[in-house]
Amino acid sequence: MRKRSIGKWILAVSILGCGAMVSPADDSNDKLTGLPVHSGMSFTQEVDSPICGRKAKINLYIVPFDFKSNTAPAMADYVTWYKAQLKGFHYFHKSWDDRPQELFYSADGTKGVTLTGVPKGDALFAVSYASISPGLTAHEMEAFNPQTNRSCK
């Protein structure tokens, strides 16, 4: 009987532990950049991908999606929130693959946040946080486009 209750306790802790790994990042900061994370998002993975020929580590987050109504959060709401949180960051609005891209870069170009929208829509798809070394110049921040200008020249 005791083994059974210990087994249930281990199962409960395991379930809670797994839930914590995929839980929203409410009121927290991204571990890579230290920048604030909008509530409701969940960390998915870290990738290494160059930006403008510079080393970059990127954390990817998914945003909440309502499967009942088939809706994602409005991009405009997240842009407003990030503008308030990332004071002093350079802001750029771009688009590639028919997806709106809202980019925020720190003044020294070493940190970035990208909001990626759904194709041809005004809803948010994902958010990424980047640590870039060495930092991007103001020209590179403005010139970056992974489809047409990867070198940012």
Side-chain angles (χ1 to χ4, degrees), residues 50-54 94 105 136-137 139-146 148-153:
I51 297 176
C52 299
R54 300 206 171 30
K94 298 186 178 197
Y105 294 107
L136 302 175
T137 66
H139 169 77
E140 290 168 329
M141 292 176 203
E142 189 168 353
F144 175 67
N145 182 319
T148 61
N149 193 4
R150 289 182 157 212
S151 67
C152 304
K153 301 218 181 214

Side-chain angles (χ1 to χ4, degrees), residues 17-31:
C18 289
M21 291 187 328
V22 296
S23 66
D26 292 329
D27 299 318
S28 65
N29 292 348
D30 174 63
K31 290 179 181 167

